[in-house]
């Protein structure tokens, strides 16, 4: 039987406010446990929450960015459940009247395919605390610094059909919220967490299968792995005659295994009721328009501009504008080098590989836009061959200076002098008489492949510094004479 995967996402996006959603406690990351939770966060008797206007502004920005309706009247509810890191016994959230209504995000997938993922809604809510297990043998510790941190929870329709589409959506969402600067996007710090609802059904069937929810995935790689594992598990269960149990699951990225966490609750299990301490929040068109005017350039608009202004391909522009730091880096470097395409290639290839290897963001890289543009200029003016440029780039990452300093110190300037190149070529041809005769006796269509031997020998003799174009031209001239 052929099976179809159905995926919907719930994404928790931590808003970049300085204080919590209902109190003045700090949201700064990395503080000592339980130093940033005040009486309001703990719901101590006599305290009352006060809504943070910045959280509403950020949520409105998000809604406008994903083509959504903005809720002019939104209401907070209490979602009741017991968990050790939720000291109030309820989470203040939105259910019936959220701040962001239905919207959509368009994805560009491999092969030029596009996909629209509908957003059901996005609501404001507070985060819970954090349970700590590693440092407490046989016990658990509780850190309430996160309690009350503002989140928007983005809920999609079950529109995705593969891990590829789910990851593409997650990356697009990450790009949007970081470009808006409403979230720092640091997934390792819990700033974005993905809950993935997965079900399978026989291909062609309209009725959805029973879904499971894999919670708290904090990397794109883990999301891809968790989806593949769960889809395989569900298909195995169904093909063995079993039934899928509606449940919440956890995926361990270290062991590559998942386990059942608890049975999945329905909304009725949480006994939602309006929060008596918070009035409905009313916003008007004037407020929404004031927010719209403050919106920064979004990734899609930036991509279109990069195509038009810099002549990049749609793919290259899309790759670079996915990360706001990469986009800013590209513009800064291109302004100096005046060479957009070559700069983009180095950002996506060599610099990208270096950043992945060293686990750095581009704005943290020791290879500044000024250093990269200096390298690009020397490739453009013929001082460096592509091969030697990689050597210079490596030296830049090692802190050995800018491109000009490294070229001078290491004597890496590309050899374009005709006399010097002819001397190298004459020596190669004299040392390889049989190969020369073979080349001259060969058919025209075989000569191109045979030429590679002489190019390789000459490049080796020049220690990679020969100008490839000039070398090829001179070689052909001498071999065909």
């Amino acid at each position: 039987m052929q099976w179809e995967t159905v995926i919907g996402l719930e994404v928790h996006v931590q808003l970049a406010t300085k204080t919590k959603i209902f109190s003045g406690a700090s949201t700064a990351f990395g503080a000592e446990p339980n130093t940033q939770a005040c009486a309001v966060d703990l719901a101590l008797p006599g305290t009352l929450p006060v809504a943070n206007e910045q959280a509403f502004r950020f949520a409105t920005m998000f809604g406008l960015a994903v083509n959504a309706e903005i809720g002019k009247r939104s209401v907070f509810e209490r979602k009741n459940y017991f968990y050790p890191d939720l000291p109030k016994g309820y989470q203040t959230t939105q259910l019936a009247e959220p701040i962001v209504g239905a919207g959509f995000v368009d994805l560009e997938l491999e092969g030029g395919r596009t996909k629209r993922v509908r957003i059901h809604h996005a609501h404001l809510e507070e985060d819970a605390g954090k349970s700590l297990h590693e440092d407490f043998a046989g016990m658990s510790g509780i850190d309430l610094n996160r309690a009350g941190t503002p989140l928007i929870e983005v809920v999609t329709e079950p529109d995705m059909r593969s891990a590829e589409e789910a990851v593409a959506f997650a990356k697009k969402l990450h790009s949007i919220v970081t470009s808006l600067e409403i979230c720092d996007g640091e997934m390792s710090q819990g700033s974005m967490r993905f809950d993935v609802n997965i079900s399978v059904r026989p291909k062609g069937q309209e009725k959805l299968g029973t879904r499971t929810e894999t919670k708290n995935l904090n990397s794109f790689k883990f999301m891809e792995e968790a989806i593949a594992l769960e889809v395989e598990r569900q298909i195995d269960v169904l093909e063995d005659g079993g039934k899928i149990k509606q449940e919440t699951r956890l995926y361990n990225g270290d062991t590559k295994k998942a386990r059942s966490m608890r049975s999945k609750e329905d909304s009725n299990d949480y006994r939602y009721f309006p929060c008596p301490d918070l009035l409905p929040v009313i916003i008007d068109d004037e407020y929404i328009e004031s927010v719209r005017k403050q919106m920064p350039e979004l990734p899609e608009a930036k991509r279109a501009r990069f195509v038009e202004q810099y002549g990049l391909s749609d793919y290259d522009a899309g790759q670079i504008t996915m990360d706001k730091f990469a986009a800013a880096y590209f513009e800064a470097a291109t302004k100096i080098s005046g060479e957009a395409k070559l700069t983009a290639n180095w950002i996506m290839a060599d610099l990208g590989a270096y950043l992945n290897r060293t686990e750095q963001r581009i704005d943290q890289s020791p290879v500044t836009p000024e250093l990269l543009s200096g390298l690009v200029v020397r490739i453009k003016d013929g001082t460096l061959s592509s091969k030697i440029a990689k050597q210079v780039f490596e030296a830049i990452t090692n802190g050995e200076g800018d491109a000009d300093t490294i070229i001078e110190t290491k004597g890496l300037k590309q050899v374009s002098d005709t006399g010097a190149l002819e001397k190298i070529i004459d020596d190669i041809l004299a040392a390889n008489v049989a190969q020369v005769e073979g080349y001259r006796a060969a058919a025209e269509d075989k000569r191109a492949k045979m030429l590679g031997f002489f190019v390789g020998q000459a490049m080796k003799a020049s220690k990679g510094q020969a100008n490839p174009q000039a070398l090829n031209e001179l070689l052909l001239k001498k071999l065909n004479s």
Side-chain angles (χ1 to χ4, degrees):
M1 179 180 292
Q2 284 191 310
W3 297 91
E4 181 179 55
T5 303
V6 179
I7 300 170
L9 294 181
E10 297 174 18
V11 187
H12 289 91
V13 178
Q14 180 178 325
L15 298 177
T17 58
K18 292 183 179 177
T19 58
K20 295 183 178 178
I21 188 168
F22 301 122
S23 80
S26 172
T27 58
F29 178 80
E32 287 294 315
N34 298 310
T35 59
Q36 296 182 171
C38 69
V40 174
D41 304 325
L42 306 181
L44 295 184
T47 60
L48 288 173
V50 177
N52 184 334
E53 190 275 337
Q54 185 75 322
F56 278 86
R57 183 170 291 274
F58 284 171
T60 303
M61 290 172 70
F62 174 77
L64 294 172
V66 296
N67 315 289
E69 305 164 10
I70 304 300
K72 294 181 181 176
R73 182 182 191 275
S74 58
V75 175
F76 284 105
E77 276 117 346
R78 289 183 178 180
K79 179 182 180 182
N80 297 277
Y81 64 99
F82 172 77
Y83 211 68
D85 56 18
L86 186 68
K88 295 192 293 187
Y90 61 85
Q91 179 188 31
T92 305
T93 182
Q94 296 181 322
L95 177 66
E97 297 180 85
I99 179 69
V100 176
F104 64 87
V105 170
D106 288 332
L107 307 178
E108 299 78 32
L109 303 168
E110 285 188 10
R113 192 164 59 94
T114 60
K115 173 95 180 187
R116 173 162 293 184
V117 176
R118 295 168 297 159
I119 290 174
H120 183 276
H121 76 275
H123 59 260
L124 278 166
E125 65 182 23
E126 62 180 341
D127 205 352
K130 184 178 180 183
S131 296
L132 307 172
H133 307 292
E134 292 81 4
D135 299 328
F136 302 92
M139 299 182 291
S140 292
I142 302 294
D143 177 7
L144 295 174
N145 281 353
R146 292 189 69 88
T149 297
L151 308 174
I152 49 173
E153 181 175 342
V154 183
V155 182
T156 78
E157 300 287 358
D159 287 345
M160 290 154 279
R161 296 292 177 267
S162 66
E164 176 205 3
E165 292 181 0
V167 171
F169 175 82
K171 288 182 175 178
K172 187 70 174 281
L173 204 67
H174 184 274
S175 173
I176 290 171
V177 299
T178 53
S179 294
L180 289 171
E181 298 185 352
I182 64 173
C183 174
D184 63 20
E186 294 289 351
M187 292 191 286
S188 62
Q189 298 176 7
S191 296
M192 284 189 78
R193 308 190 301 272
F194 301 92
D195 299 344
V196 187
N197 290 299
I198 304 168
S199 64
V200 298
R201 62 185 175 188
K203 202 168 183 65
Q205 175 180 299
E206 288 192 14
K207 183 182 177 183
L208 295 174
T210 302
R211 73 177 191 276
T212 63
E213 180 185 48
T214 302
K215 289 188 73 66
N216 288 332
L217 299 166
N218 65 352
S219 85
F220 303 129
K221 180 183 176 188
F222 289 167
M223 177 189 290
E224 187 172 14
E225 293 172 350
I227 291 172
L229 192 66
E230 179 59 9
V231 168
E232 183 180 358
R233 186 190 73 85
Q234 290 192 18
I235 291 174
D236 285 346
V237 170
L238 293 171
E239 291 190 341
D240 288 344
K243 291 184 177 180
I244 302 301
K245 179 183 176 184
Q246 183 169 312
E247 63 182 0
T248 298
R249 301 179 64 81
L250 284 179
Y251 176 73
N252 186 322
D254 294 326
T255 63
K256 312 297 181 191
K257 293 180 180 178
R259 64 175 175 82
S260 177
M261 179 182 177
R262 59 173 183 258
S263 62
K264 173 70 177 173
E265 297 89 346
D266 291 318
S267 60
N268 289 339
D269 298 323
Y270 291 115
R271 295 175 292 110
Y272 283 89
F273 61 82
C275 179
D277 293 336
L278 289 161
L279 291 172
V281 176
I282 309 297
I283 61 176
D284 56 19
D285 289 336
E286 184 179 357
Y287 178 86
I288 295 171
E289 287 309 308
S290 72
V291 173
R292 193 191 303 277
K293 288 178 181 175
Q294 296 174 16
M295 299 269 284
E297 186 179 33
L298 291 170
E300 284 194 12
K302 189 169 290 182
R303 182 179 65 180
R305 180 168 66 79
F306 278 22
V307 170
E308 181 178 349
Q309 182 176 342
Y310 298 109
L312 297 184
S313 69
D314 195 55
Y315 175 82
D316 289 351
Q319 291 295 304
I320 291 175
T321 56
M322 188 69 78
D323 178 349
K324 71 166 188 170
F325 297 113
Y329 186 104
F330 165 79
E331 292 209 272
T334 300
K335 187 176 181 180
I336 302 169
S337 70
E339 187 63 31
K341 175 60 179 170
L342 195 52
T343 300
N345 288 347
W346 273 87
I347 290 173
M348 292 187 292
D350 296 75
L351 180 58
Y354 167 74
L355 295 174
N356 286 335
R357 192 169 64 249
T358 56
E359 298 183 344
Q360 296 180 83
R361 281 196 333 228
I362 195 168
D363 59 314
Q364 302 166 332
S365 170
V367 185
T368 62
E370 291 76 16
L371 288 171
L372 185 70
S373 61
L375 178 67
V376 169
V377 166
R378 291 297 166 248
I379 300 170
K380 182 183 173 186
D381 68 13
T383 303
L384 290 175
S385 66
S386 298
K387 184 176 180 181
I388 296 297
K390 292 179 183 297
Q391 190 177 332
V392 174
F393 177 78
E394 186 176 348
I396 293 174
T397 65
N398 291 334
E400 296 179 38
D402 59 20
D404 286 344
T405 301
I406 294 164
I407 292 168
E408 184 66 28
T409 305
K410 295 180 179 287
L412 297 176
K413 191 174 181 180
Q414 183 169 257
V415 178
S416 299
D417 176 70
T418 303
L421 290 176
E422 283 189 325
K423 173 68 169 61
I424 292 173
I425 292 170
D426 289 342
D427 290 345
I428 296 296
L429 298 186
N432 296 278
V433 174
Q435 285 82 353
V436 172
E437 291 176 351
Y439 176 89
R440 289 173 174 160
E444 191 69 30
D445 60 341
K446 294 184 177 177
R447 286 188 171 185
K449 187 175 180 180
M450 298 173 77
L451 181 67
F453 167 77
F454 300 103
V455 172
Q457 292 294 311
M459 290 301 288
K460 185 178 178 182
S462 71
K463 298 179 180 177
Q465 292 177 244
N467 182 316
Q469 184 178 350
L471 179 68
N472 271 280
E473 289 174 358
L474 287 171
L475 257 174
L476 283 170
K477 185 177 177 182
K478 286 183 176 289
L479 283 168
N480 294 330
S481 61

